[in-house]
Amino acid sequence: MDRLSLERRQVWIYLAAILGGLALGSLWPALVQGFEILLWPVLAVLLYTTFVQVPLLHIRDAFRDKRFVLAILLGNFVLIPLGVWLALQWLPDDPALRLGVLLVLLVPCTDWFMTFTQLGGGNTARAIAVTPLNLLAQLLLLPVYLSVFLPAADFGAALKTEEMLSAALALIGLPLVAAALTERWIESKPARAIWRERLGVWPVPLLALVVFLIAAEQVETVLEAGPVLLTVLPVFIGFLVVAALLARGLAGVLQLPVDTGRTLAFSLGTRNSFLVLPFALALPAGWETTVVVIVFQSLVELFGMVFYLWWLPRRLFKSPLGANA
């Protein structure tokens, strides 16, 4: 199965992986005890193969369309964080739940954002160009957001640990550096471009394996978190609606073309769940709900993207009369 076929079916692939993990963890709990050790290298390879698809060495290309860059930065790093903070006020006073919501909603996506942009008639070139800018900005700003939005006691207890720092270094920094070196190696000879295409097939099955391992290992937490997930479900659905409407407003104010407006909507609507998983997995005991909330949001988001593929080109960002969608 090629990359495009995998990406079109990824919603059902991830859902099957989660259900399979829950079944395995429920029926054979002793079998999944070592899954945590396996999870870390799989996640590291997932991050590497995903980062290879991001043009890390071409961040300057993002600034060619200044209005689009302004919309991306204003939407993803000012308006979305304000909206997330407002939504947080309606959630139960559960630090693990709130941290999960913050981690997963504050950082824009850098992988399937480009896929859905292409499928939804957006401007794929703009999506590719702005992705390294999104990645750099979120890595710099996420600690700032968490320190502002979380109470000092919760922030210190959950995040300022040696485990968190080592996880960030090993599972984000090293794959990021390796991907940048790979990109330089690929671009040194045109014939090597095939390697980016080959690596591009792996993020979907690797992410499916990651959520399978998490579901199997955290089956008790997942089952106990049922009421919690129902609590955050309206927040995640509301986020998708507000993000698209926000993109429509920004596109109108900044007079963005229709295809660029769609790209903006997919950027604001998709979140970087795989990037924040290392932080969540490194949390101390008692914070397992954070991981479950992040995985749950990614599943809700994928179903939301299926809706976006219908809603954006046919209703919110309709092509001008006579133009192709």
Side-chain angles (χ1 to χ4, degrees):
M1 188 177 292
D2 60 19
R3 175 179 176 177
L4 186 58
S5 299
L6 281 170
E7 290 172 343
R8 284 176 172 171
R9 295 170 174 82
Q10 59 187 323
V11 175
W12 307 110
I13 293 173
Y14 300 143
L15 181 60
I18 291 173
L19 295 176
L22 291 174
L24 181 65
S26 299
L27 296 175
W28 296 284
L31 188 63
V32 304
Q33 291 180 357
F35 277 14
E36 183 178 1
I37 299 175
L38 180 61
L39 178 60
W40 293 99
V42 173
L43 187 53
V45 177
L46 167 63
L47 288 167
Y48 165 72
T49 57
T50 302
F51 288 154
V52 168
Q53 312 308 311
V54 178
L56 298 170
L57 304 181
H58 301 278
I59 192 170
R60 288 180 296 180
D61 294 345
F63 293 95
R64 292 179 178 177
D65 187 342
K66 292 181 173 57
R67 287 183 299 169
F68 178 56
V69 171
L70 177 61
I72 285 286
L73 294 178
L74 185 60
N76 274 321
F77 301 108
V78 178
L79 300 179
I80 289 292
L82 285 175
V84 172
W85 179 80
L86 290 173
L88 213 61
Q89 313 311 309
W90 297 92
L91 291 174
D93 188 16
D94 181 340
L97 180 150
R98 291 192 170 202
L99 178 58
V101 171
L102 287 172
L103 283 174
V104 78
L105 293 186
L106 287 174
V107 289
C109 184
T110 57
D111 55 344
W112 59 51
F113 150 60
M114 293 182 282
T115 300
F116 285 112
T117 295
Q118 180 181 12
L119 295 175
N123 191 317
T124 308
R126 290 283 184 268
I128 294 172
V130 81
T131 296
L133 178 62
N134 271 339
L135 180 61
L136 177 62
Q138 66 189 257
L139 290 174
L140 294 175
L141 291 175
L142 181 59
V144 178
Y145 292 142
L146 294 178
S147 65
V148 172
F149 293 163
L150 281 179
D154 294 337
F155 184 84
L159 303 179
K160 292 183 179 179
T161 64
E162 293 181 1
E163 290 83 359
M164 292 294 296
L165 294 176
S166 61
L169 176 62
L171 285 176
I172 296 178
L174 293 180
L176 191 61
V177 171
L181 293 174
T182 301
E183 183 179 354
R184 183 175 295 277
W185 177 80
I186 289 173
E187 293 186 355
S188 64
K189 291 185 179 180
R192 293 173 179 171
I194 188 66
W195 286 101
R196 180 180 277 115
E197 297 177 13
R198 290 173 177 172
L199 289 170
V201 176
W202 286 101
V204 171
L206 285 171
L207 184 54
L209 180 56
V210 166
V211 297
F212 171 81
L213 295 173
I214 291 174
E217 186 194 13
Q218 303 284 348
V219 61
E220 292 185 5
T221 303
V222 172
L223 296 177
E224 293 174 359
V228 172
L229 299 182
L230 291 177
T231 300
V232 297
L233 178 60
V235 172
F236 292 154
I237 294 175
F239 175 87
L240 290 167
V241 175
V242 171
L245 296 176
L246 185 60
R248 186 67 190 90
L250 284 171
V253 170
L254 295 172
Q255 299 182 337
L256 300 179
V258 170
D259 62 341
T260 307
R262 294 174 185 169
T263 307
L264 177 63
F266 282 113
S267 179
L268 300 189
T270 53
R271 303 287 93 186
N272 217 351
S273 56
F274 79 96
L275 183 71
V276 296
L277 267 177
F279 294 98
L281 291 168
L283 290 168
W287 293 79
E288 291 82 4
T289 301
T290 302
V291 177
V292 176
V293 168
I294 291 172
V295 174
F296 180 64
Q297 186 279 335
S298 66
L299 191 61
V300 173
E301 179 182 297
L302 282 167
F303 281 101
M305 288 304 105
V306 175
F307 176 67
Y308 267 35
L309 292 177
W310 171 85
W311 188 33
L312 298 188
R314 290 175 175 78
R315 294 290 186 269
L316 213 56
F317 292 94
K318 296 177 65 175
S319 296
L321 189 61
N324 293 326

